[in-house]
Amino acid sequence: MTTRQLHLNAFLMNTGHHEASWRLPESDPYAHVELSHYVGLARIAERGTFDSLFLADGPQLWGNLAQRPAGALEPLTLLTALATATEHIGLIATASTSYNSPYNLARRFASLDIVSGGRAGWNIVTTAGAEAARNFGLDAEPAHAERYARAAEFLEVARKLWDSWEDDAIVADKAAGVWGDDRKIHPPRHQGTYFAVEGALNVPRTPQGYPLLVQAGSSEDGKAFAARYAEAVFTAQQTLADAQTFYADLKSRTRAAGRDPGHVKVLPGIVPVLGSTEAEARAAERLLEDHIVYEHGVGRLESLLQLPAGTLRLDGPLPADLPPESAIEGAKSRYTLVVELARRERLTVRQLVGRLGGGRGHLTFAGTPEQVADEIETWFTQGAADGFNIMPAVLPSGLEAFVEHVVPLLRARGLLRTGYGPRQTLRERYGLPRPANQYLTPDPDPAPALV
Amino acid sequence: MTTRQLHLNAFLMNTGHHEASWRLPESDPYAHVELSHYVGLARIAERGTFDSLFLADGPQLWGNLAQRPAGALEPLTLLTALATATEHIGLIATASTSYNSPYNLARRFASLDIVSGGRAGWNIVTTAGAEAARNFGLDAEPAHAERYARAAEFLEVARKLWDSWEDDAIVADKAAGVWGDDRKIHPPRHQGTYFAVEGALNVPRTPQGYPLLVQAGSSEDGKAFAARYAEAVFTAQQTLADAQTFYADLKSRTRAAGRDPGHVKVLPGIVPVLGSTEAEARAAERLLEDHIVYEHGVGRLESLLQLPAGTLRLDGPLPADLPPESAIEGAKSRYTLVVELARRERLTVRQLVGRLGGGRGHLTFAGTPEQVADEIETWFTQGAADGFNIMPAVLPSGLEAFVEHVVPLLRARGLLRTGYGPRQTLRERYGLPRPANQYLTPDPDPAPALV
């Protein structure tokens, strides 16, 4: 038994993370806009005592409708509905710092945090791609470094807004007719490069103070941002060695940024494909691969690699002369991960498309529940992970199988809680402190701290 | 019995519309951020078979915290939570066209419409006031006419986005591996004065097509906007005659704009204060007035009238030389309503503050359930209203009293439904059509219309 415990996050994505999952007989092709589908998933994850669930997002209609389910309920809307259908699980959504204003977004996360009793988390993204930019009046996406500079300022403003009410600003003195104490309200009066925000938020400080701050970019800019702000990091790592390098690097960057490295939890993604034998698991994996339309995958790969359409041949390798990551203005770390995966394993384009179809660059692991639990334990105990972002290939069945067959093993090994116990905030589940209010006047006669 | 039926909307605002309501012993001073408070209110309104409930909003912290409850949960977040706690009632929220982007806001309303099964409504506001502007990088609010020009373009873009998926764009052909039909996706490619929005929405077309479009501005710009776009109009009217004039004017403007005047429902606001006798009702009204802090009200009145602080004297009249509405860049129609109320009834500043404390310019009506039902029936049958915006002075008790004592009278008179019957969308409740898709290719061989 160890006292250090795994953190598990359920990454929910309509019929599953495998691009062909919607074609299976069991799958609901309208799942992406069915509240009941997501309520079912959230409740399964809560049965598995996951720390949190997560919804990715981008403010554009992705890709080609013919190929696979597109569109999604706006994630904070969906999480609010899930907040009322669950009791313990954390609720994390992606939202873009490039295409939102701090006042509106800070308020929406504060509102979700209140409605959920302190279970809100924000996966902070800068949003790559010209398609999104063109939905917001821009011709092209801002440069990568500029997106991150804006993100940093966005975070600073959001934290000022979340701190703009002291926790005890509401007095509620009915007899005197005094509702609140204006001296405990702190307008940000922010004048920066990207934002000017004058007034205090119109929501009181929330149970968590700030939502849990999550980040998933693994580029240089992304890692620097994570070291400064993130409390949980989602990352795609294909090998234990790569994951260990990433883990050590991020913890050391966090220390260098003056923060406790224990206050950044690293969660690699894993796509578990389960079978009661290894052969059964491999067969399940092949069944999914058989449903991939490879021509579609090649087009998406060309777009990711910024190659003209028609460049790649299905049974050939990637071109040798791809540009370096520094020349890419889009999703930098994903670009490198895909190129390295193809080169390391000498994959043909067809094989690469098959691999990406399963988890878009995340580690797919087909095996028995014991094998999956072993893999998780190894990464967790060998300095590669504080937990995992569980990305079932097929939903709901893959999540159900994980909760039914892998979770009991993790519990038996002392790696995962057996129940939620008393209600906790999402921060408390992740072992993170509630942030102090930056505006708080030190108490001239402080009582002893109760920590 | 009449076949024409009243439309009732419950305007929910923390502890009630009377500014002193929070000071009553029964009131919860934290109600503004308590989900359970709003769930309770929504369920009471649903017992009363209201068409809808409504949350007002502005993206700023209003006024002075000492005076009365300030801040609120972000309304679309709260409505999403209420959608899961109710089954029939419509869910209307204010959102600003000046401080949102069309892509994000259209998507959020589409998501609420889906999650609620077609019960979403949008009260379209342009947001007066420099405080809000300064939370979004501006020094001052844009001029009134410019705000409305932006609102009109915002609506055009939002409607393009809501129409960007045809209703049958999802094919879901698992065998062929074809999920959707790209020919049924219509990117707006909008290039306008205020917005450039290229791509289709990332949410399918919703049960209602568009959320119910509500408007509440009564200035010239506001009425022109309502005639063009609104399907329900909230309005503050102090007398039957004024309400009749407004009603006739709006219906005729709607006809002039080429729309069916029956497709704009006019709902004046009413603050019912109930008692089992008239004397009891007046006593309840006086109890509330006794809790007003008059000095606070004077400050707010000076701000509305754009007068320097300290200009008004509590026991004097309003100054004779107030500027005309055309000189006001803020909330124009509210300005005129307040000035006319004071002059018509020769009110002192103290009396005016007392009247505004009750419903901020809306009609306060204290009486027995019979008297309130009579007043409602008179306005409804005399060409002044298609229904009412019910604004209880104290919540939840005022809404409870209305549902328990006035609703049965309205039902007995055949003015209000006795139950919801089968599930309907909010548009269906208001007797409004589902909008046709502007991109829809006319069917070359149409079947007879089923209307």
Side-chain angles (χ1 to χ4, degrees):
Chain A
M1 292 286 283
T2 167
T3 55
R4 182 167 166 256
Q5 296 260 306
L6 271 172
H7 298 289
L8 293 186
N9 177 69
F11 183 171
L12 306 182
M13 184 177 274
N14 57 64
T15 56
H17 286 271
H18 197 287
E19 66 166 87
S21 59
W22 74 273
R23 296 183 64 190
L24 298 185
E26 69 200 73
S27 290
D28 173 4
Y30 299 91
H32 65 314
V33 289
E34 295 282 0
L35 178 57
S36 58
H37 174 72
Y38 283 95
V39 168
L41 294 174
R43 289 184 175 155
I44 295 167
E46 210 164 45
R47 262 199 284 131
T49 57
F50 277 56
D51 294 66
S52 51
L53 58 82
F54 165 58
L55 304 169
D57 197 54
Q60 80 262 31
L61 185 61
W62 266 308
N64 188 306
L65 233 66
Q67 299 179 10
R68 54 179 178 178
L73 295 168
E74 189 280 319
L76 280 167
T77 308
L78 179 49
L79 287 192
T80 302
L82 296 183
T84 68
T86 57
E87 209 179 327
H88 299 284
I89 199 164
L91 305 159
I92 304 173
T94 289
S96 172
T97 53
S98 298
Y99 306 117
N100 279 292
S101 54
Y103 199 92
N104 286 342
L105 194 65
R107 185 176 183 213
R108 294 177 62 210
F109 273 107
S111 298
L112 176 62
D113 203 46
I114 290 172
V115 164
S116 65
R119 295 188 280 145
W122 173 20
N123 177 40
I124 306 157
V125 301
T126 67
T127 312
E131 289 81 0
R134 288 197 285 259
N135 292 338
F136 295 88
L138 302 178
D139 290 330
E141 66 188 317
H144 196 270
E146 191 181 331
R147 292 205 309 275
Y148 271 94
R150 179 180 157 112
E153 190 181 329
F154 196 115
L155 254 282
E156 295 297 339
V157 178
R159 298 204 300 190
K160 287 177 185 173
L161 288 165
W162 290 321
D163 284 340
S164 63
W165 293 51
E166 292 184 29
D167 285 311
D168 55 355
I170 301 176
V171 175
D173 184 341
K174 291 182 178 183
V178 176
W179 184 77
D181 183 348
D182 283 295
R183 296 165 306 175
K184 299 194 171 187
I185 299 293
H186 305 280
R189 303 196 211 298
H190 177 89
Q191 297 284 342
T193 308
Y194 299 96
F195 305 108
V197 178
E198 178 70 15
L201 200 61
N202 49 0
V203 179
R205 202 157 192 266
T206 74
Q208 294 193 102
Y210 312 161
L212 179 77
L213 300 176
V214 183
Q215 208 271 346
S218 296
S219 65
E220 276 303 306
D221 290 329
K223 284 185 282 196
F225 185 90
R228 200 163 148 201
Y229 299 107
E231 299 170 299
V233 169
F234 297 153
T235 180
Q237 301 294 334
Q238 283 283 336
T239 68
L240 176 62
D242 284 355
Q244 287 167 326
T245 304
F246 178 85
Y247 186 95
D249 178 46
L250 194 70
K251 298 280 177 168
S252 108
R253 285 172 189 254
T254 303
R255 199 178 294 106
R259 297 174 59 212
D260 179 344
H263 291 170
V264 184
K265 308 298 180 185
V266 178
L267 283 78
I270 182 171
V271 182
V273 180
L274 291 163
S276 57
T277 63
E278 202 178 319
E280 222 179 274
R282 296 255 174 252
E285 196 175 30
R286 265 197 310 279
L287 176 70
L288 283 164
E289 276 170 19
D290 288 347
H291 283 88
I292 291 178
V293 180
Y294 281 88
E295 294 67 28
H296 295 167
V298 172
R300 287 196 299 271
L301 189 56
E302 285 166 344
S303 152
L304 173 72
L305 301 178
Q306 307 192 352
L307 297 170
T311 311
L312 296 176
R313 290 175 39 227
L314 253 183
D315 294 300
L318 288 191
D321 56 347
L322 290 169
E325 178 181 304
S326 58
I328 300 293
E329 279 301 338
K332 281 179 185 280
S333 59
R334 200 167 137 58
Y335 172 87
T336 298
L337 180 136
V338 167
V339 172
E340 283 181 0
L341 170 65
R343 292 198 174 141
R344 186 175 58 245
E345 306 194 14
R346 300 167 179 278
L347 301 175
T348 64
V349 166
R350 184 189 301 275
Q351 289 167 324
L352 183 58
V353 166
R355 288 288 286 277
L356 296 177
R360 303 182 316 286
H362 288 266
L363 177 67
T364 297
F365 192 87
T368 64
E370 286 283 349
Q371 288 175 320
V372 170
D374 289 349
E375 184 83 356
I376 285 176
E377 182 169 3
T378 302
W379 286 45
F380 180 60
T381 56
Q382 301 297 310
D386 295 311
F388 284 86
N389 199 9
I390 306 297
M391 304 169 55
V394 185
L395 287 169
S397 62
L399 187 61
E400 220 147 25
F402 186 89
V403 167
E404 196 151 327
H405 301 292
V406 182
V407 160
L409 301 176
L410 299 174
R411 286 176 178 160
R413 297 179 191 188
L415 299 173
L416 182 66
R417 65 179 71 84
T418 56
Y420 281 116
R423 289 195 68 157
Q424 288 187 307
T425 66
L426 177 54
R427 283 175 176 282
E428 286 166 341
R429 294 238 173 274
Y430 274 97
L432 296 164
R434 184 170 189 265
N437 190 322
Q438 62 191 291
Y439 295 108
L440 203 56
T441 317
D443 190 339
D445 182 19
L450 297 168
V451 178
Chain B
M1 293 284 284
T2 168
T3 55
R4 183 166 165 259
Q5 297 260 304
L6 270 173
H7 298 290
L8 292 187
N9 177 69
F11 184 171
L12 308 182
M13 184 177 273
N14 56 66
T15 56
H17 286 272
H18 197 287
E19 67 167 87
S21 59
W22 73 273
R23 296 183 66 189
L24 299 186
E26 70 199 75
S27 290
D28 173 4
Y30 299 91
H32 66 314
V33 290
E34 294 282 359
L35 178 57
S36 58
H37 174 72
Y38 283 95
V39 167
L41 294 175
R43 289 184 176 154
I44 295 167
E46 210 165 45
R47 262 200 283 130
T49 56
F50 277 56
D51 294 67
S52 51
L53 60 82
F54 165 59
L55 304 170
D57 197 53
Q60 80 263 32
L61 185 61
W62 266 308
N64 189 306
L65 234 65
Q67 299 181 8
R68 52 180 179 179
L73 294 168
E74 189 280 319
L76 281 167
T77 308
L78 179 50
L79 287 192
T80 302
L82 296 183
T84 68
T86 57
E87 211 180 326
H88 298 285
I89 198 163
L91 305 159
I92 304 173
T94 289
S96 171
T97 53
S98 298
Y99 306 117
N100 279 291
S101 55
Y103 199 92
N104 286 343
L105 194 65
R107 186 177 182 212
R108 294 176 63 209
F109 273 107
S111 298
L112 176 62
D113 203 46
I114 291 172
V115 164
S116 65
R119 293 189 281 145
W122 173 19
N123 177 41
I124 306 157
V125 301
T126 66
T127 311
E131 290 80 1
R134 288 197 284 259
N135 292 338
F136 295 88
L138 303 178
D139 289 331
E141 67 189 316
H144 195 268
E146 191 182 331
R147 292 205 310 275
Y148 271 93
R150 179 180 157 114
E153 190 182 328
F154 196 114
L155 253 282
E156 295 296 340
V157 178
R159 298 204 300 190
K160 288 177 184 173
L161 288 164
W162 290 321
D163 284 342
S164 63
W165 293 52
E166 292 184 28
D167 285 311
D168 56 356
I170 301 176
V171 176
D173 184 341
K174 291 183 178 182
V178 176
W179 184 77
D181 183 348
D182 283 295
R183 295 165 307 175
K184 298 193 171 188
I185 298 294
H186 305 280
R189 303 194 210 303
H190 177 89
Q191 297 283 342
T193 307
Y194 299 95
F195 305 108
V197 178
E198 178 69 16
L201 200 62
N202 50 358
V203 179
R205 203 158 191 267
T206 74
Q208 294 193 101
Y210 312 160
L212 179 77
L213 301 176
V214 182
Q215 209 269 348
S218 296
S219 65
E220 276 303 307
D221 291 330
K223 284 186 281 196
F225 186 90
R228 201 163 148 200
Y229 298 108
E231 298 171 302
V233 169
F234 297 153
T235 180
Q237 301 293 334
Q238 283 283 337
T239 68
L240 176 62
D242 283 355
Q244 287 167 327
T245 303
F246 179 85
Y247 186 94
D249 178 46
L250 194 71
K251 298 279 177 169
S252 111
R253 285 171 189 255
T254 303
R255 199 177 294 107
R259 297 175 60 212
D260 178 345
H263 291 171
V264 184
K265 308 297 179 186
V266 178
L267 284 76
I270 182 172
V271 181
V273 180
L274 291 163
S276 57
T277 62
E278 202 178 320
E280 221 180 274
R282 296 253 174 253
E285 197 175 29
R286 264 197 311 278
L287 176 70
L288 283 163
E289 275 169 22
D290 287 346
H291 282 88
I292 291 178
V293 180
Y294 282 88
E295 294 67 27
H296 296 167
V298 171
R300 286 196 301 272
L301 189 56
E302 285 166 342
S303 154
L304 173 73
L305 302 178
Q306 307 192 354
L307 297 170
T311 310
L312 296 177
R313 289 174 41 227
L314 253 183
D315 293 302
L318 287 192
D321 57 347
L322 290 169
E325 177 180 305
S326 58
I328 300 293
E329 280 302 337
K332 280 179 185 281
S333 58
R334 198 166 138 59
Y335 172 86
T336 298
L337 181 135
V338 167
V339 172
E340 284 181 359
L341 170 65
R343 293 199 174 140
R344 186 175 56 245
E345 306 193 14
R346 300 169 180 276
L347 302 175
T348 63
V349 166
R350 183 190 301 274
Q351 288 168 324
L352 183 59
V353 166
R355 288 288 286 276
L356 295 177
R360 303 183 313 287
H362 287 266
L363 177 67
T364 296
F365 191 87
T368 65
E370 284 284 350
Q371 288 174 320
V372 171
D374 289 348
E375 183 85 354
I376 285 176
E377 183 169 2
T378 301
W379 286 46
F380 180 59
T381 55
Q382 302 297 312
D386 295 311
F388 283 86
N389 200 7
I390 306 296
M391 303 169 57
V394 185
L395 287 169
S397 62
L399 187 62
E400 219 148 25
F402 186 89
V403 166
E404 196 152 326
H405 300 294
V406 181
V407 159
L409 300 176
L410 299 174
R411 285 176 179 159
R413 298 179 191 188
L415 298 174
L416 182 66
R417 64 179 72 83
T418 55
Y420 281 117
R423 288 194 68 156
Q424 289 187 308
T425 66
L426 177 54
R427 282 176 177 282
E428 286 165 343
R429 293 238 174 273
Y430 273 98
L432 297 163
R434 185 171 189 265
N437 190 320
Q438 63 191 291
Y439 295 109
L440 204 57
T441 317
D443 190 342
D445 181 19
L450 297 169
V451 178

